[in-house]
Amino acid sequence: EPEVTQTPSHQVTQMGQEVILRCVPISNHLYFYWYRQILGQKVEFLVSFYNNEISEKSEIFDDQFSVERPDGSNFTLKIRSTKLEDSAMYFCASSVAGVTDTQYFGPGTRLTVL
Amino acid sequence: GENVEQHPSTLSVQEGDSAVIKCTYSDSASNYFPWYKQELGKGPQLIIDIRSNVGEKKDQRIAVTLNKTAKHFSLHITETQPEDSAVYFCAASTQGGSEKLVFGKGTKLTVNP
């Protein structure tokens, strides 16, 4: 069964450093998402991406965040200058036909900012 | 915007018993309600979903009910098994509106053998 994959599984970085989290969505999917989950809290929407552009972003997704689909398979989330409060689990998700189609989640990248 | 409340935050049942998790939502325009199961160290996995044009949906031991008037929906797991132990999240979204899923805070279900 096709699945969303994410790398790395765990990323440790120093405050102020740039990180790039990588995702490979399911191959025939057209809609891509990033969510985050701070330890013990709910999963929060960050951004959705369709047709090579951001379709919606949350208040969390400020100028420090960016997304890119550099080729036909990868979908990346970049945090330019990490803060302690960026420490969280970051999930990538994809769907065929938009938000009310099933969103399939990857296993997540645990980001730890020291 | 949409707000989803989920109860209880923890639930412990004996194997074979039923488990019920309840969610309420605030936006009457929401019309898609998925439930996700998250096992330790893994991403959320869809287990069942319901759209606002139906009141109930069942898949083997799992069922979801929706009350649009009261704006709440519930997950029912019958004949629970230890492997059902996980964190369960409800979510809501609006077809034709926001792209995002809005999640509840999660329920940690423990099924004791």
Side-chain angles (χ1 to χ4, degrees), chain A residues 2-81:
Chain A
E3 56 184 21
V4 176
T5 59
Q6 291 185 243
T7 54
S9 57
H10 191 189
Q11 173 90 47
V12 181
T13 190
Q14 295 291 325
M15 191 168 56
Q17 295 296 304
E18 175 183 286
V19 294
I20 297 177
L21 309 182
R22 302 180 192 280
C23 169
V24 178
I26 295 173
S27 62
N28 64 331
H29 287 190
L30 302 176
Y31 292 76
F32 314 112
Y33 311 86
W34 284 101
Y35 291 82
R36 79 171 186 191
Q37 184 179 32
I38 294 172
L39 189 64
Q41 298 187 23
K42 62 169 72 177
V43 177
E44 299 174 289
F45 170 80
L46 291 178
V47 66
S48 58
F49 191 87
Y50 170 70
N51 200 26
N52 282 320
E53 61 182 24
I54 290 173
S55 49
E56 184 172 358
K57 58 183 181 180
S58 72
E59 295 170 354
I60 303 166
F61 195 88
D62 62 21
D63 291 344
Q64 293 300 311
F65 290 86
S66 62
V67 289
E68 192 179 29
R69 188 155 163 83
D71 52 44
S73 60
N74 290 283
F75 179 51
T76 61
L77 174 69
K78 182 193 287 187
I79 309 174
R80 257 179 279 279
S81 178

Side-chain angles (χ1 to χ4, degrees), chain A residues 35 37 42 56 99-100 103, chain B residues 36 51 98-99 101 103:
Chain A
Y35 291 82
Q37 184 179 32
K42 62 169 72 177
E56 184 172 358
V99 67
T100 55
Q103 289 189 29
Chain B
Y36 284 84
R51 298 176 194 277
S98 169
E99 293 284 333
L101 288 173
F103 283 84

